[in-house]
Amino acid sequence: MIGERILRFGTVTSTQDVAAEMAATGFPHGGVIVAEAQTAGRGRLGRAWHSPPAGGLYLSILLRPRVEPALLPLLTLAAGLAAADSVQALAGCAADLRWPNDVLLGGRKCCGILPEMAATADTARVKHVILGIGLNVNQREFPPALAAEATSLAMVSGQEIPLDTALALLLENLETRYNQFVGEPSLLPPEFESRSSFARNRWVLVENGGSRFTGVTEGLDSAGFLRVRRDDTGIIEPVLAGSVRPA
Ligand code: BTN
């Protein structure tokens, strides 16, 4: 069960690194690493995750799903939905989802999720997934480079929230959504779509490594990929990775 084992640390490089070490020593499915601060917190697409002490929740969850790697985009959506469920309940207002799993309040990001997978040598099966989650809970300000894009639950709700309250709710919602991923994964793309203002009829800029294009979103496919009708070719392209922003 997610959250049955929780290991707490002070300052670490990244909870992802600690979780990877623990995975090799038989740490159980659903085990959680939480840190007060990170010196090398990382985000998607090689970005850094600002992780000072106080205010932020930094955690990594070890998952051992018995599935093929091709199903993992749906796990990413499930994690985004769990985070959005939690943010909404804690902040007391509607949260938006930006594919694949950023949670936004008032158009600014308050939660990011980094799934890192280890596969078997033949790549046919998932060995484990480490789901890293950074949730901005009680920060009242961000460094200038992030200020226009980031927000916290406290900045939106005007109230401080104990980090342990946020952690407990997040883990409970993750357990629920993980069970949905295992039992009824086909429900995840339509639900994500209904909770995301980015999923349909949004003109977006898609960036992935060297590739960059604009287009209009046309929902998610059954594998969890975002369908974008490219402005340049008029063809729908399933976006498998990368960042999606308003164009
Ligand atoms: C993103 O939006 O780019 C994903 C951010 C993920 C940040 C979290 S904080 C806890 C865990 N440890 C890390 O180094 N990264 C994730």
Side-chain angles (χ1 to χ4, degrees), residues 76-194:
T76 298
L77 300 185
L81 282 162
D85 296 339
S86 311
V87 164
Q88 228 160 258
L90 293 165
C93 58
D96 195 7
L97 275 163
R98 182 172 62 198
W99 187 92
N101 53 22
D102 289 341
V103 184
L104 311 182
L105 285 171
R108 294 179 180 199
K109 180 163 164 176
C110 64
C111 181
I113 302 178
L114 174 68
E116 293 183 327
M117 179 193 69
T120 51
D122 61 1
T123 71
R125 277 187 313 108
V126 174
K127 268 212 303 217
H128 65 250
V129 176
I130 296 172
L131 206 58
I133 304 182
L135 176 60
N136 299 334
V137 182
N138 290 323
Q139 293 95 329
R140 291 289 179 171
E141 57 182 8
F142 289 93
L146 297 176
E149 291 209 353
T151 193
S152 72
L153 303 183
M155 284 162 83
V156 171
S157 69
Q159 288 180 340
E160 288 242 327
I161 297 163
L163 291 184
D164 274 349
T165 303
L167 175 65
L169 184 62
L170 186 56
L171 296 177
E172 189 183 320
N173 287 328
L174 280 163
E175 171 72 12
T176 304
R177 292 291 180 179
Y178 183 80
N179 289 337
Q180 192 178 11
F181 165 70
V182 172
E184 295 178 304
S186 63
L187 299 183
L188 291 164
E191 184 165 359
F192 189 98
E193 227 184 275
S194 73

Side-chain angles (χ1 to χ4, degrees), residues 15 32-33 47 57 59 62 84-86 96 101 108 114 117 120 129 132 178 182 201 204 206 216 226 236 244:
T15 55
V32 180
I33 305 295
R47 297 183 186 131
L57 188 57
L59 66 144
L62 178 66
D85 296 339
S86 311
D96 195 7
N101 53 22
R108 294 179 180 199
L114 174 68
M117 179 193 69
T120 51
V129 176
Y178 183 80
V182 172
N201 302 320
V204 293
V206 179
V216 176
L226 182 66
I236 293 178
V244 173

Side-chain angles (χ1 to χ4, degrees), residues 2-43:
I2 292 178
E4 209 165 281
R5 290 267 318 263
I6 300 179
L7 290 184
R8 293 172 184 275
F9 291 81
T11 300
V12 299
T13 51
S14 160
T15 55
Q16 297 292 94
D17 297 338
V18 180
E21 283 165 24
M22 296 302 297
T25 67
F27 200 47
H29 167 84
V32 180
I33 305 295
V34 188
E36 284 169 15
Q38 301 181 114
T39 54
R42 55 183 182 265

